[in-house]
Amino acid sequence: MSTAPAAPPLTSPEAPWSVAVVSEKVRGWIARLGDVWVEGQVVQFRERPGAWMQYLTLRDVDEKVSVTVSVQSAVLQASTARVEEGARVVVHAKPDFYKGNGSFSLRAAEIRPVGVGELLARIEHLRGVLAAEGLFDDARKVRLPFLPRVVGLVTGRNSDAKHDVMKNAQARWPQVRFAVREVAVQGVSAVREVRNAIAELDAMPDVEVIVVARGGGALEDLLPFSDEALVRAAAACVTPLVSAIGHEQDSPLLDLVADLRASTPTDAAKRIVPDVAEERRRLDDARRAMRRALRGRVDREQHGLDGIRSRPVLARPESMVDSRERDVRYAISHARHLLNAALLQASGEVGRLEAQVRALSPASTLERGYAVVQRADGHVVREPADAAAGTRVRLRLARGELAATVDEEPLFSNADLD
């Protein structure tokens, strides 16, 4: 398979381009891009009254990339978008490259707001993605400590949410301490600052719970708390996290990934520390319940002792020994009776077996006059053919033995008898 020859390089050490040529080429490449629709967040805008051209800085909502946008004042006034810092807009613009200082910009011909419906659709899509990954599962959530030593608080600068959390928590438990990180809770830097604050507090070993608090707001104001990067940072937090962003009707994604969702900053204060007055009441109630239980137990045991002491067996304790003595005597007598019966039965059985053995014994046969004839090798002679004439034999009798010699051939054998 043949390959096309490599294209010659555009430049070389001997034939370099000038800066002007490079700038012009870049400008041409960018010009070929044509008109584009660009979405971003307004991070800087100062309206210049009476000026023909207005300038704003547009930044990517997820990356730290920004670009300058120029727009005619008439186009800006005709736009339905709310062009202010923190607003999300969609710009129809033509990319431009200025050769003089090598800057890239956009020349806007139209500006549109990002609709609330579209924002909600994006949040809903992200909710489904994160839920599929298991970031909202109850199994990964952890319980808050009963009495944290230090509470990390991420909140707005001099905000009501900060005062609500600290005031109500210290009213419930005066010894609680806070590690406060005041950050931007809306606008272009909110996601970055909140993420950094959570990471910083999570790295502190004495911080046992982290609260992210804000006093509610419009959907656009709460968008940073549904940002994917912030939600994933909260999911990676090892320290238990409490989300107290909005009110009951608000539901940013941070609420779903947090270990505990509080409806308001005041509610968060009630969740993170116990009420010292309530705990004292509980201790008092527990002490009273323990006293009642102990007294009841003592009364029941005393009543039982009184009942036992009033029984006849305690009035004459030896009666228990007497009854046991009778039982033992009866048991001994019964055991002796059973043993005697067993011995008598066994004795009779032994006699019977002895008679059987004696009847079957060869000695009893010899007593009746029979003898056992054996050759010198010990072989028992059972028929005449077993002992020829001249064979030395031994006759075993009932009482002793005799030696003999076979003098002649047998007169007959068993075969003759047959």
Side-chain angles (χ1 to χ4, degrees), residues 128-336:
V129 172
L130 298 179
E133 295 181 14
L135 265 63
F136 303 153
D137 292 349
D138 292 337
R140 59 169 301 277
K141 299 181 185 296
V142 298
R143 292 173 59 89
L144 302 186
F146 173 71
L147 186 60
R149 292 171 297 176
V150 179
V151 176
L153 178 58
V154 181
T155 184
R157 297 177 178 88
N158 296 321
S159 63
D160 293 337
K162 169 188 172 182
H163 298 297
D164 288 344
V165 173
M166 297 183 65
K167 177 182 176 182
N168 287 279
Q170 289 173 344
R172 292 170 61 84
W173 197 271
Q175 286 75 23
V176 66
R177 294 185 293 123
F178 284 90
V180 181
R181 297 296 181 269
E182 295 184 345
V183 297
V185 292
Q186 70 181 63
V188 295
S189 61
V191 173
R192 173 177 53 82
E193 293 188 19
V194 174
R195 285 176 56 190
N196 293 341
I198 291 176
E200 181 182 353
L201 293 172
D202 189 33
M204 298 173 62
D206 56 339
V207 173
E208 298 184 19
V209 63
I210 299 174
V211 179
V212 181
R214 175 194 162 90
L219 173 65
E220 294 82 354
D221 298 333
L222 300 181
L223 286 178
F225 299 98
S226 293
D227 183 85
E228 181 176 2
L230 176 57
V231 173
R232 292 188 180 277
C237 183
V238 177
T239 307
L241 184 72
V242 178
S243 175
I245 302 304
H247 301 289
E248 290 292 346
Q249 67 273 13
D250 302 324
S251 183
L253 297 184
L254 184 63
D255 285 350
L256 302 179
V257 77
D259 296 298
L260 178 67
R261 190 255 183 186
S263 58
T264 61
T266 302
D267 182 48
K270 296 178 180 179
R271 301 289 193 93
I272 59 177
V273 293
D275 187 352
V276 61
E278 182 179 354
E279 294 303 319
R280 286 174 177 170
R281 287 194 297 271
R282 290 180 178 177
L283 285 175
D284 293 339
D285 293 342
R287 289 193 186 99
R288 286 191 291 270
M290 291 171 62
R291 290 192 186 99
R292 287 194 299 269
L294 184 58
R295 288 172 181 170
R297 181 64 179 271
V298 172
D299 291 342
R300 287 195 302 272
E301 295 300 328
Q302 184 63 50
H303 180 72
L305 287 175
D306 294 341
I308 292 174
R309 291 172 59 186
S310 63
R311 294 177 182 176
V313 69
L314 292 182
R316 188 176 177 275
E318 61 271 16
S319 61
M320 296 177 61
V321 178
D322 294 341
S323 63
R324 295 297 180 270
E325 182 183 6
R326 288 192 298 271
D327 294 341
V328 170
R329 287 177 180 176
Y330 172 78
I332 293 174
S333 176
H334 185 63
R336 286 175 179 172

Side-chain angles (χ1 to χ4, degrees), residues 360-410:
L360 297 176
S361 173
S364 63
T365 303
L366 296 179
E367 288 288 346
R368 294 197 299 270
Y370 291 95
V372 178
V373 181
Q374 292 178 303
R375 294 190 311 216
D377 60 1
H379 181 76
V380 177
V381 178
R382 292 181 173 81
E383 58 183 352
D386 292 339
T391 302
R392 296 286 296 178
V393 295
R394 186 179 57 182
L395 284 75
R396 184 177 178 183
L397 306 177
R399 297 176 184 85
E401 296 181 354
L402 292 175
T405 302
V406 179
D407 294 336
E408 56 184 15
E409 294 293 334

Side-chain angles (χ1 to χ4, degrees), residues 45-56 68-81 83 91-94 106-112:
F45 174 66
R46 288 186 180 180
E47 188 175 2
R48 301 185 302 170
W52 178 73
M53 188 69 69
Q54 303 290 338
Y55 297 91
L56 56 96
T68 300
V69 179
S70 60
V71 57
Q72 296 181 9
S73 297
V75 173
L76 190 62
Q77 293 173 0
S79 173
T80 59
V83 181
V91 178
H92 188 212
K94 181 177 180 61
L106 296 173
R107 287 183 295 164
E110 183 180 356
I111 298 180
R112 296 180 182 180

Side-chain angles (χ1 to χ4, degrees), residues 111-134:
I111 298 180
R112 296 180 182 180
V114 176
V116 174
E118 184 178 355
L119 292 175
L120 291 175
R122 293 180 184 178
I123 293 175
E124 191 62 29
H125 173 73
L126 180 58
R127 184 198 306 268
V129 172
L130 298 179
E133 295 181 14

